[in-house]
Amino acid sequence: MNESSAAQRMSWSTRKARRFGACLGVASLAVAGLVGDPGAGNRAQAQPEQPAENKGPIGWDAYRQVNALAEIPGPEQSRQFSSFDRAGGNDDGFHGTYSCLDQSDRGCVIAEHAGAGEISDMWFTREPLGDLTETGNIVVELDGRVVLDAPLADVVNGRAGAPFEWPLVGNDRDTAGAGVIKVPMPYREHMRVTVQNNPDFYRVGYRAFPDAEGVQTFDPGDPATDVLDRVRRFGVADPKGQAQRTERQDDSDVVVPPGASRTLAELDGPASIDELRMQLPQLVGSPQVTDDGRAYGEGGGSDFTMRVDPNNDGVRLIRRVDPQVADQVADVFVDGQPVGRWNSGPERPGEWGVEIIEVPPELTAGKSQLEIGNRFVSSSVDVNEFRYDVHSNVGGDWTRTDVLDIGPGHPGEEAAHGYRIDNQVFERDKWVARYPVPEEEVAASEQIMENTRLRITFDGQTTVDSPIGEFFGSGLGTHDVRTMMNSVDPGLDGWLTSWWPMPFGQNARVELVNTGTVPITGGKAQVSSGPAEVGENTGYFHATHHRGQTTPGEDWTFLEAEGSGVFRGVSHSMRGQTPPDAPLPQVIEPSSGNNNRAEDRERNYLEGDERFYVDGSASPAWHGTGTEDLYEAGWYFRFGMQPAMPLAGSPAHKIAADGCEFDCTGAYRLLLNDAVPFSDGIHAGVEHGRVNDEPGDYGSTAYWYGGKPAQLRVTDEVDVGDEASRDDHGYRAEGESSAPLESTFEGDRRPPEQRESTTATGPVTFRAAVDADNDGMRVRRLGDQEQAYQAVDVRIDGQPAGRWSQPLGNPFHRWLEDDFDVPAELTRGKSEVQVELVPVADAPPWAAAHYRVFSH
């Protein structure tokens, strides 16, 4: 290759990266993959940054300041790169067709953004079943610095070290078929993520800020051990802590006949509900459970640590055992002291067994952690163990304070508890058995979870109205749920618990409404609250429920909301209505993956992609690759359920049993730093099937904060194809050419549209009206995205405002609406500004048919 041709083949993205200073000669890193201050590794906890004006918590503060979930951010955007099929089919990564935005000297570029922002989350999968070895190294470059360079498989396995440890990372076992990275990585100027080889299926979520105020570039040398400790207590402890609670209203005898309601609490404000929990004796755990476990033989045993409440008046240790092996006997020790003996009893094939040992308070009082030991005594074969729960007795109530789910599918959870096993004789993957619960009790329990509604009214507005099952994360019965924000304990004395912060200004009322036929008697409810500051940007907590039949050709809607707010997640109940003997689709793409398998036909509803539209844009801000992918798993939850993770999981999968006719799936996804803010409305939904073609009975409950008016208003529009509009705005474009274009948008929410489309190779200028009271300005471009990596430098009244770069490209659905936020200091107090867009050298021509100008 001669010098001339080599220069021609150098991609624009490579040159651009050099301009951003991304190639600074940083050497390739070892497996740890971290470049940082050598002394930073000793920092256990960085102090929270001073909050930036009009930004939500940044970096680790998203986990440290959970009370801030209720605050509605200012002009920031939540965006996503993914491998979704650009043609609108189902080739979302099976062949890696759309998985690389560009190629660099490091490999396949999968995400890139110019300006300030934060990588919020990453998700990957590939065949076989989520093993990421073939993807090779992942390289994350932030502000001209490599902060991660290591084999992707090592990163998701936790081998890169803190902060890249479970559950801020998870592998295909932890998640049921994928690898995830939930470490927030802020940057001030530029980010790029590259993988060595085509990743097939992937998603990178990021936040885009209008400026870098309050943003500090991610420090890979900060292990954030306090965050890891907090997140590892998901489902058993309030992530907000308890210091702010000053009042608790108890109802110790909850009785709600069919057709009646019961007020559980009435509160005065300003305050915030910080914990809401209830215990209903009519609820029983769903009998069929899939789990994995281990067993030790003669001379063996196991050891692990478990958290307890230091205020405990005794502790209860609960073991899940497979009693098909008879007469399993093991001695149990707490902190080296004998406390009892497991004894599984006679053989009971096909059942789960439960054993309980109560530990006296003199061995546990004042302690926050216990060392549990088990030692083999005797057995017909061996002693197996699948799961341990610990309950602490506090104030007379037994409350779950830790869980250890054992087995090859829970490597992160085992490691976090220091689990060790001696003389292991087997490990069992996905063992299916049932608890011996009468069918009539199961049916009654499921009725209560589905037909009893939680209603909460804040300052006269009822914003929470959801079945208790879906509200707490289990819409298909009483299944075990552990998330950072809610919990369902289906066992003995189990509680339904919510830790969502729910601030209000004047008053709040919490009610249970029984719309079913099963009476509720003898229940308990506790509503804890504390003082709270309720400001202009504080949103009301909403739990918006939707239930019905899916509609062919239309996405299932999670949330349709007006005004401003922030979407924080969803609990989703899917009841597939495709019989197992239904014929396969007549037309199946050769790369359609799971739905080529006849045995998976019933679960084809999981082929649907999530698509979220924000602030009236015709183009989705999020466009995913599949329903189980949205819930951070893969391959139909690895053909089963998903282990619990703090922010995503699938607690339920039923096949023709326990109220499910064919195939049913329950799942949840919670959004912390990857939340979706909106300033003027949101439409969030998911397909049901490859092209919205699978029948289903769906239910969902969206968690969000809002109730505020729109914070974004259209103040001007420029129709580039209209001479009068051009003249009115002094529109000029150098090197301009134009041609009519008829095409569609991604997501198919709008019909095909025909407009005059222009491209420019030189500066574009126009005047735009803004509101003099603005807190920043947004410019939305309608353009042709046939060519990727279009980029311009933006100037407002001659002052630099940042780079507007769009790595996306699509030759099939060519219309794209993308937004650029202008910092408030360039527009505040002005009623008109001069916009100048200067194309970046070597970038494709800048395409535009229309500009819409918004004032924040």
Side-chain angles (χ1 to χ4, degrees), residues 219 286 440 453 466 716:
D219 176 7
S286 189
E440 61 274 15
R453 302 180 77 91
S466 169
D716 211 343

Side-chain angles (χ1 to χ4, degrees), residues 247-294:
E247 178 184 354
R248 192 178 88 179
Q249 295 191 24
D250 288 62
D251 190 336
S252 59
D253 186 21
V254 176
V255 176
V256 193
S261 64
R262 172 87 170 217
T263 298
L264 304 180
E266 294 197 65
L267 305 100
D268 295 323
S272 176
I273 296 174
D274 289 318
E275 182 182 71
L276 187 160
R277 65 181 196 154
M278 61 185 69
Q279 189 183 79
L280 306 180
Q282 287 77 32
L283 297 182
V284 296
S286 189
Q288 182 168 302
V289 173
T290 303
D291 201 1
D292 54 347
R294 303 183 186 276

Side-chain angles (χ1 to χ4, degrees), residues 85 175 232 247 264 328 364 385 435 439 443 470 507 543 575 599 734 749 761 776 782:
D85 188 337
T175 68
R232 283 173 179 164
E247 178 184 354
L264 304 180
Q328 303 174 46
T364 62
E385 51 191 8
Y435 287 101
E439 291 185 7
E470 262 184 16
N507 51 66
R575 302 164 181 86
E599 62 266 37
E734 295 183 16
R749 287 197 78 215
T761 57
L782 169 62

Side-chain angles (χ1 to χ4, degrees), residues 362-583:
E362 55 265 27
L363 295 181
T364 62
K367 296 180 179 180
S368 58
Q369 181 172 285
L370 305 177
E371 179 78 27
I372 310 298
N374 301 295
R375 296 294 177 265
F376 182 97
V377 175
S378 62
S379 174
S380 62
V381 180
D382 49 38
V383 175
N384 64 62
E385 51 191 8
F386 284 76
R387 172 176 164 137
Y388 290 96
D389 287 51
V390 164
H391 287 186
S392 299
N393 188 337
V394 180
D397 290 325
W398 289 102
T399 300
R400 182 167 68 176
T401 51
D402 208 353
V403 174
L404 169 58
D405 215 337
I406 291 170
H410 302 84
E413 193 160 345
E414 288 184 338
H417 287 83
Y419 176 80
R420 305 177 303 282
I421 185 168
D422 296 320
N423 191 26
Q424 176 173 295
V425 295
F426 86 77
E427 61 179 39
R428 179 169 290 157
D429 196 2
K430 291 196 178 301
W431 185 249
V432 182
R434 293 178 69 86
Y435 287 101
V437 182
E439 291 185 7
E440 61 274 15
E441 292 185 17
V442 175
S445 177
E446 294 194 350
Q447 265 220 41
I448 290 175
M449 293 288 273
E450 185 174 327
N451 296 319
T452 302
R453 302 180 77 91
L454 177 68
R455 288 183 184 161
I456 308 180
T457 302
F458 301 108
D459 298 337
Q461 304 176 59
T462 301
T463 63
V464 173
D465 190 351
S466 169
I468 60 171
E470 262 184 16
F471 178 84
F472 290 103
S474 183
L476 295 176
T478 313
H479 296 264
D480 182 73
V481 173
R482 283 182 292 145
T483 85
M484 276 193 71
M485 304 312 302
N486 46 30
S487 168
V488 175
D489 180 358
L492 181 67
D493 298 324
W495 292 85
L496 312 178
T497 308
S498 165
W499 294 295
W500 290 102
M502 305 181 192
F504 54 94
Q506 299 174 1
N507 51 66
R509 183 174 66 254
V510 182
E511 300 173 277
L512 271 188
V513 182
N514 190 345
T515 67
T517 60
V518 178
I520 295 171
T521 59
K524 292 182 180 180
Q526 298 174 354
V527 180
S528 300
S529 61
E533 293 185 10
V534 180
E536 290 184 1
N537 292 329
T538 304
Y540 290 109
F541 178 73
H542 291 67
T544 302
H545 173 66
H546 178 205
R547 172 79 186 269
Q549 295 291 313
T550 57
T551 302
E554 295 182 11
D555 290 1
W556 174 260
T557 301
F558 292 143
L559 177 62
E560 183 89 52
E562 298 178 347
S564 58
V566 57
F567 179 40
R568 288 288 180 188
V570 66
S571 172
H572 190 186
S573 308
M574 296 161 272
R575 302 164 181 86
Q577 294 181 327
T578 301
D581 57 353

